[in-house]
CSV table of all heavy atoms in Angstrom, one decimal:
chain,number,residue,atom,x,y,z
A,138,PRO,N,73.5,81.7,70.3
A,138,PRO,CA,72.9,82.3,69.1
A,138,PRO,C,72.5,83.8,69.3
A,138,PRO,O,72.2,84.4,68.4
A,138,PRO,CB,71.7,81.4,68.8
A,138,PRO,CG,71.5,80.6,70.0
A,138,PRO,CD,72.8,80.5,70.8
A,139,PHE,N,72.4,84.2,70.6
A,139,PHE,CA,72.1,85.6,70.8
A,139,PHE,C,73.1,86.4,71.5
A,139,PHE,O,73.6,87.5,71.1
A,139,PHE,CB,70.7,85.7,71.4
A,139,PHE,CG,69.6,85.2,70.5
A,139,PHE,CD1,69.3,83.8,70.5
A,139,PHE,CD2,69.1,86.0,69.5
A,139,PHE,CE1,68.4,83.3,69.5
A,139,PHE,CE2,68.2,85.5,68.5
A,139,PHE,CZ,67.9,84.1,68.6
A,142,TRP,N,76.7,85.8,69.8
A,142,TRP,CA,76.6,86.2,68.4
A,142,TRP,C,76.5,87.8,68.3
A,142,TRP,O,76.9,88.3,67.3
A,142,TRP,CB,75.3,85.6,67.8
A,142,TRP,CG,75.2,85.8,66.3
A,142,TRP,CD1,74.3,86.6,65.7
A,142,TRP,CD2,76.1,85.3,65.3
A,142,TRP,NE1,74.5,86.6,64.3
A,142,TRP,CE2,75.6,85.8,64.1
A,142,TRP,CE3,77.2,84.4,65.3
A,142,TRP,CZ2,76.2,85.4,62.9
A,142,TRP,CZ3,77.8,84.1,64.1
A,142,TRP,CH2,77.3,84.6,62.9
A,143,ASN,N,76.1,88.4,69.4
A,143,ASN,CA,76.1,89.9,69.4
A,143,ASN,C,77.2,90.5,70.2
A,143,ASN,O,77.2,91.6,70.6
A,143,ASN,CB,74.7,90.3,70.0
A,143,ASN,CG,73.6,90.2,69.0
A,143,ASN,OD1,73.6,90.8,68.0
A,143,ASN,ND2,72.7,89.3,69.2
A,144,GLY,N,78.3,89.7,70.3
A,144,GLY,CA,79.6,90.3,70.8
A,144,GLY,C,79.6,90.4,72.3
A,144,GLY,O,80.5,91.2,72.8
A,152,ALA,N,78.3,93.2,83.2
A,152,ALA,CA,78.2,94.7,83.1
A,152,ALA,C,76.8,95.1,82.8
A,152,ALA,O,76.3,96.1,83.3
A,152,ALA,CB,79.1,95.2,81.9
A,153,LEU,N,76.0,94.3,82.1
A,153,LEU,CA,74.6,94.6,81.9
A,153,LEU,C,73.9,94.6,83.2
A,153,LEU,O,73.0,95.5,83.4
A,153,LEU,CB,74.0,93.5,81.0
A,153,LEU,CG,74.4,93.5,79.5
A,153,LEU,CD1,73.8,92.2,78.8
A,153,LEU,CD2,73.9,94.7,78.8
A,156,THR,N,75.0,97.9,85.1
A,156,THR,CA,74.4,99.1,84.6
A,156,THR,C,73.0,99.2,85.1
A,156,THR,O,72.5,100.3,85.6
A,156,THR,CB,74.4,99.1,83.1
A,156,THR,OG1,75.7,98.9,82.6
A,156,THR,CG2,73.8,100.4,82.5
A,203,ILE,N,87.2,96.9,80.8
A,203,ILE,CA,87.0,95.6,80.1
A,203,ILE,C,85.6,95.7,79.4
A,203,ILE,O,85.5,95.5,78.2
A,203,ILE,CB,87.1,94.4,81.1
A,203,ILE,CG1,88.4,94.4,81.8
A,203,ILE,CG2,86.9,93.1,80.3
A,203,ILE,CD1,89.7,94.2,81.0
A,204,ALA,N,84.6,95.9,80.2
A,204,ALA,CA,83.2,96.0,79.7
A,204,ALA,C,82.6,97.0,80.6
A,204,ALA,O,82.2,96.7,81.7
A,204,ALA,CB,82.5,94.7,79.7
A,205,TRP,N,82.5,98.3,80.1
A,205,TRP,CA,82.0,99.4,81.0
A,205,TRP,C,80.6,98.9,81.6
A,205,TRP,O,79.8,98.4,80.8
A,205,TRP,CB,81.8,100.7,80.2
A,205,TRP,CG,81.3,101.8,81.1
A,205,TRP,CD1,82.1,102.7,81.8
A,205,TRP,CD2,80.0,102.1,81.5
A,205,TRP,NE1,81.3,103.5,82.5
A,205,TRP,CE2,80.0,103.2,82.4
A,205,TRP,CE3,78.7,101.6,81.1
A,205,TRP,CZ2,78.9,103.7,82.9
A,205,TRP,CZ3,77.6,102.1,81.7
A,205,TRP,CH2,77.6,103.2,82.6
A,249,LYS,N,67.2,81.3,83.4
A,249,LYS,CA,67.3,81.4,81.9
A,249,LYS,C,68.8,81.5,81.5
A,249,LYS,O,69.5,82.3,82.1
A,249,LYS,CB,66.5,82.6,81.4
A,249,LYS,CG,65.0,82.3,81.5
A,249,LYS,CD,64.2,83.4,80.8
A,249,LYS,CE,62.7,83.0,80.6
A,249,LYS,NZ,62.6,81.8,79.7
A,253,HIS,N,69.5,88.3,78.8
A,253,HIS,CA,68.5,89.3,78.3
A,253,HIS,C,67.1,88.8,78.5
A,253,HIS,O,66.2,89.6,78.5
A,253,HIS,CB,68.8,89.5,76.8
A,253,HIS,CG,68.8,88.2,76.0
A,253,HIS,ND1,69.9,87.4,75.9
A,253,HIS,CD2,67.9,87.5,75.3
A,253,HIS,CE1,69.7,86.3,75.2
A,253,HIS,NE2,68.4,86.4,74.8
A,254,GLU,N,66.9,87.5,78.6
A,254,GLU,CA,65.5,87.0,78.8
A,254,GLU,C,65.0,87.2,80.2
A,254,GLU,O,63.8,86.9,80.5
A,254,GLU,CB,65.4,85.6,78.4
A,254,GLU,CG,65.5,85.4,76.8
A,254,GLU,CD,64.9,84.1,76.4
A,254,GLU,OE1,63.9,83.6,77.0
A,254,GLU,OE2,65.6,83.4,75.5
A,255,ARG,N,65.9,87.5,81.2
A,255,ARG,CA,65.4,87.6,82.6
A,255,ARG,C,64.7,88.9,82.8
A,255,ARG,O,65.1,90.0,82.3
A,255,ARG,CB,66.6,87.5,83.5
A,255,ARG,CG,67.4,86.2,83.3
A,255,ARG,CD,68.6,86.1,84.2
A,255,ARG,NE,69.4,85.0,83.7
A,255,ARG,CZ,70.7,84.8,84.0
A,255,ARG,NH1,71.3,85.7,84.8
A,255,ARG,NH2,71.4,83.8,83.5
A,256,GLU,N,63.6,88.8,83.5
A,256,GLU,CA,62.7,89.9,83.7
A,256,GLU,C,63.5,91.1,84.4
A,256,GLU,O,63.4,92.2,84.0
A,256,GLU,CB,61.5,89.5,84.5
A,256,GLU,CG,60.4,90.5,84.6
A,256,GLU,CD,60.0,91.2,83.2
A,256,GLU,OE1,60.0,90.5,82.2
A,256,GLU,OE2,59.7,92.4,83.2
B,14,TYR,N,66.9,83.3,62.0
B,14,TYR,CA,67.9,84.0,61.2
B,14,TYR,C,67.7,84.0,59.7
B,14,TYR,O,68.1,85.0,59.0
B,14,TYR,CB,69.3,83.4,61.5
B,14,TYR,CG,69.9,84.0,62.8
B,14,TYR,CD1,70.0,83.3,64.0
B,14,TYR,CD2,70.2,85.4,62.9
B,14,TYR,CE1,70.5,83.9,65.2
B,14,TYR,CE2,70.7,86.0,64.0
B,14,TYR,CZ,70.8,85.2,65.2
B,14,TYR,OH,71.3,85.8,66.3
B,36,PRO,N,63.9,84.8,70.8
B,36,PRO,CA,63.8,83.9,69.7
B,36,PRO,C,62.6,82.9,69.8
B,36,PRO,O,62.2,82.7,70.9
B,36,PRO,CB,65.1,83.2,69.7
B,36,PRO,CG,65.5,83.1,71.1
B,36,PRO,CD,65.0,84.4,71.7
B,38,LYS,N,60.8,79.5,70.2
B,38,LYS,CA,61.2,78.2,70.8
B,38,LYS,C,60.2,77.1,70.4
B,38,LYS,O,59.0,77.5,70.3
B,38,LYS,CB,61.3,78.3,72.4
B,38,LYS,CG,62.4,79.3,72.8
B,38,LYS,CD,62.4,79.5,74.3
B,38,LYS,CE,63.4,80.5,74.7
B,38,LYS,NZ,63.4,81.0,76.1
B,42,GLU,N,57.4,78.5,76.6
B,42,GLU,CA,58.1,78.5,77.9
B,42,GLU,C,57.2,78.8,79.0
B,42,GLU,O,57.6,78.7,80.2
B,42,GLU,CB,59.2,79.6,77.8
B,42,GLU,CG,58.7,81.0,77.6
B,42,GLU,CD,59.8,82.0,77.3
B,42,GLU,OE1,60.9,81.7,77.2
B,42,GLU,OE2,59.4,83.2,77.2
B,62,SER,N,69.1,97.6,79.5
B,62,SER,CA,70.4,97.9,80.1
B,62,SER,C,71.4,97.8,78.9
B,62,SER,O,71.1,97.5,77.8
B,62,SER,CB,70.8,96.8,81.1
B,62,SER,OG,71.9,97.2,81.8
B,63,PHE,N,72.7,98.2,79.3
B,63,PHE,CA,73.7,98.3,78.2
B,63,PHE,C,75.1,98.2,78.8
B,63,PHE,O,75.3,98.4,80.0
B,63,PHE,CB,73.6,99.5,77.3
B,63,PHE,CG,73.8,100.8,78.1
B,63,PHE,CD1,75.1,101.4,78.2
B,63,PHE,CD2,72.8,101.4,78.8
B,63,PHE,CE1,75.4,102.5,78.9
B,63,PHE,CE2,73.1,102.6,79.6
B,63,PHE,CZ,74.3,103.1,79.6
B,64,THR,N,76.1,97.9,77.9
B,64,THR,CA,77.5,97.9,78.3
B,64,THR,C,78.3,98.4,77.1
B,64,THR,O,77.8,98.4,76.0
B,64,THR,CB,78.0,96.5,78.7
B,64,THR,OG1,79.4,96.5,79.0
B,64,THR,CG2,77.7,95.5,77.6
B,65,ILE,N,79.5,98.8,77.4
B,65,ILE,CA,80.4,99.1,76.3
B,65,ILE,C,81.6,98.1,76.3
B,65,ILE,O,82.3,98.1,77.3
B,65,ILE,CB,81.0,100.6,76.4
B,65,ILE,CG1,79.9,101.6,76.6
B,65,ILE,CG2,81.8,100.9,75.1
B,65,ILE,CD1,79.0,101.9,75.5
B,67,HIS,N,85.0,96.8,75.7
B,67,HIS,CA,86.4,97.2,75.3
B,67,HIS,C,87.3,96.1,74.9
B,67,HIS,O,88.2,96.2,74.1
B,67,HIS,CB,87.0,98.1,76.4
B,67,HIS,CG,86.4,99.5,76.5
B,67,HIS,ND1,87.1,100.6,76.1
B,67,HIS,CD2,85.2,99.9,76.9
B,67,HIS,CE1,86.3,101.6,76.3
B,67,HIS,NE2,85.2,101.3,76.8
B,68,VAL,N,87.1,94.9,75.6
B,68,VAL,CA,87.9,93.7,75.3
B,68,VAL,C,86.9,92.7,74.7
B,68,VAL,O,86.2,92.0,75.3
B,68,VAL,CB,88.5,93.2,76.6
B,68,VAL,CG1,89.3,91.9,76.3
B,68,VAL,CG2,89.4,94.2,77.3
B,79,TYR,N,82.5,98.9,71.4
B,79,TYR,CA,81.1,98.9,70.8
B,79,TYR,C,80.1,98.7,71.9
B,79,TYR,O,80.5,98.1,73.0
B,79,TYR,CB,80.9,97.9,69.7
B,79,TYR,CG,81.3,96.5,70.1
B,79,TYR,CD1,80.3,95.6,70.7
B,79,TYR,CD2,82.6,95.9,70.0
B,79,TYR,CE1,80.6,94.3,71.0
B,79,TYR,CE2,82.9,94.7,70.4
B,79,TYR,CZ,81.9,93.8,70.9
B,79,TYR,OH,82.2,92.6,71.3
B,85,ARG,N,64.1,95.9,75.3
B,85,ARG,CA,62.7,95.4,75.5
B,85,ARG,C,61.9,95.8,74.4
B,85,ARG,O,61.6,97.0,74.2
B,85,ARG,CB,62.2,95.9,76.9
B,85,ARG,CG,60.8,95.3,77.2
B,85,ARG,CD,60.2,95.9,78.4
B,85,ARG,NE,61.0,95.6,79.6
B,85,ARG,CZ,60.8,94.4,80.3
B,85,ARG,NH1,59.9,93.5,79.9
B,85,ARG,NH2,61.5,94.2,81.4
B,91,LYS,N,62.6,90.5,75.3
B,91,LYS,CA,63.8,91.3,75.3
B,91,LYS,C,64.9,90.5,74.6
B,91,LYS,O,65.0,89.3,74.7
B,91,LYS,CB,64.3,91.4,76.8
B,91,LYS,CG,63.3,92.2,77.7
B,91,LYS,CD,64.0,92.8,78.9
B,91,LYS,CE,64.3,91.7,79.9
B,91,LYS,NZ,64.9,92.3,81.2
B,129,ARG,N,73.4,89.3,60.6
B,129,ARG,CA,73.3,90.0,61.8
B,129,ARG,C,72.2,91.0,61.8
B,129,ARG,O,71.9,91.6,60.7
B,129,ARG,CB,74.7,90.7,62.2
B,129,ARG,CG,75.8,89.7,62.5
B,129,ARG,CD,77.0,90.4,63.0
B,129,ARG,NE,78.1,89.5,63.1
B,129,ARG,CZ,78.3,88.5,64.0
B,129,ARG,NH1,77.5,88.4,65.0
B,129,ARG,NH2,79.4,87.8,63.9
B,130,TYR,N,71.7,91.3,63.0
B,130,TYR,CA,70.8,92.5,63.1
B,130,TYR,C,71.5,93.4,64.1
B,130,TYR,O,72.4,93.0,64.9
B,130,TYR,CB,69.4,92.1,63.7
B,130,TYR,CG,69.5,91.5,65.0
B,130,TYR,CD1,69.5,92.3,66.2
B,130,TYR,CD2,69.5,90.1,65.2
B,130,TYR,CE1,69.5,91.7,67.4
B,130,TYR,CE2,69.5,89.5,66.5
B,130,TYR,CZ,69.6,90.3,67.6
B,130,TYR,OH,69.6,89.8,68.8
Side-chain angles (χ1 to χ4, degrees):
Chain A
F139 294 90
W142 189 249
N143 283 294
L153 291 170
T156 305
I203 303 294
W205 184 92
K249 288 190 165 295
H253 55 277
E254 287 199 40
R255 300 177 195 163
E256 191 47 38
Chain B
Y14 278 109
K38 294 175 183 172
E42 62 190 3
S62 192
F63 65 92
T64 176
I65 311 289
H67 285 251
V68 179
Y79 55 91
R85 185 183 293 277
K91 298 199 290 185
R129 294 189 190 281
Y130 63 83

